Amino acid sequence: MLGENLKKLRTEKGMSQEYMAQQLNVVRQTVSKWENGLSEPDAGSLMKLAELLGVSVSVLLDEEDREKKDSANSNTKKRFVISTAVAVICLAGILGITVLKESQESAEIQKFKPSEQEISLKGNQFIRTYNIENVEECNNEVYIYVTVRQFQRDEIQTVKVERKLCPEVRKNKAYEFELVVTDETMVEEDPSIETIFRCCKVIEITETDKLGTDQIQEPVIKTQ
């Protein structure tokens, strides 16, 4: 299966899920879902994966092993499916390159159309790493207050988060916050801490030992 083969090839190359995600401009959880069969990469991501792992798309899809196990009739059908898939992927790649060139050519024009640029980021997931400056109890037992600072930014913000997401959160430690945009009015790709916690929901908090430039500060990618 694609997920098992992807995990095997990634491990053989000595790549972590996080490194692969950074190369593909997705979050680590997306790579994990691919490997566990919870979702599948689109045509563009499939081509990037094959290039990153140094294999062909057919090898990534594990079509060669399946051909050996099936009968001649089944092999013929699968070769047709593979050929069609490759053709579709190639066509998608050509269309993607064309669209990219057109976007680059019209970039200057688009700068003067801010209303067309303001695409809602609602539903997008991303990760921010914050250093915890302080932790305070909240009157409501469901929440606690944490004061966070983002690397290379002077901004400090005290925010309220669910206690169950970070029962052992400590001062002077770094934590990765996985967030999802819930407010359709959010259109900034590099928002302030205040904007993030006003327009997003925290879905996971994980302690990290990363420091400085190694801390994750993913942009909020527009998907529309």
Side-chain angles (χ1 to χ4, degrees), residues 170-222:
R170 293 173 290 172
K171 289 173 57 176
N172 303 319
K173 292 288 185 178
Y175 290 82
E176 290 180 358
F177 284 63
E178 184 176 351
L179 305 110
V180 60
V181 181
T182 56
D183 191 330
E184 62 184 11
T185 64
M186 180 169 165
V187 296
E188 303 171 67
E189 292 188 16
D190 187 21
S192 65
I193 297 176
E194 188 278 330
T195 299
I196 286 177
F197 284 91
R198 176 170 51 82
C199 298
C200 304
K201 178 182 179 181
V202 181
I203 56 179
E204 186 175 353
I205 300 176
T206 308
E207 184 175 350
T208 179
D209 57 1
K210 294 179 181 177
L211 300 172
T213 55
D214 290 331
Q215 293 184 351
I216 296 178
Q217 310 296 343
E218 294 183 352
V220 188
I221 304 299
K222 289 187 173 76

Side-chain angles (χ1 to χ4, degrees), residues 107-193:
E108 291 302 318
I109 297 175
Q110 292 299 322
K111 287 180 181 178
F112 296 98
K113 298 180 179 180
S115 61
E116 294 180 10
Q117 293 286 339
E118 294 181 352
I119 300 174
S120 174
L121 297 168
K122 185 175 181 180
N124 286 298
Q125 293 185 20
F126 62 102
I127 294 175
R128 282 286 189 279
T129 301
Y130 296 116
N131 297 317
I132 304 302
E133 301 288 319
N134 193 30
V135 180
E136 296 180 15
E137 291 295 324
C138 179
N139 293 334
N140 186 332
E141 295 183 358
V142 178
Y143 298 94
I144 59 173
Y145 290 110
V146 292
T147 302
V148 300
R149 179 199 294 271
Q150 186 172 321
F151 176 67
Q152 288 186 333
R153 277 193 172 180
D154 294 331
E155 184 183 5
I156 298 178
Q157 189 79 24
T158 298
V159 298
K160 186 168 69 173
V161 297
E162 292 185 76
R163 187 186 298 272
K164 67 180 181 180
L165 295 175
C166 51
E168 303 297 329
V169 66
R170 293 173 290 172
K171 289 173 57 176
N172 303 319
K173 292 288 185 178
Y175 290 82
E176 290 180 358
F177 284 63
E178 184 176 351
L179 305 110
V180 60
V181 181
T182 56
D183 191 330
E184 62 184 11
T185 64
M186 180 169 165
V187 296
E188 303 171 67
E189 292 188 16
D190 187 21
S192 65
I193 297 176

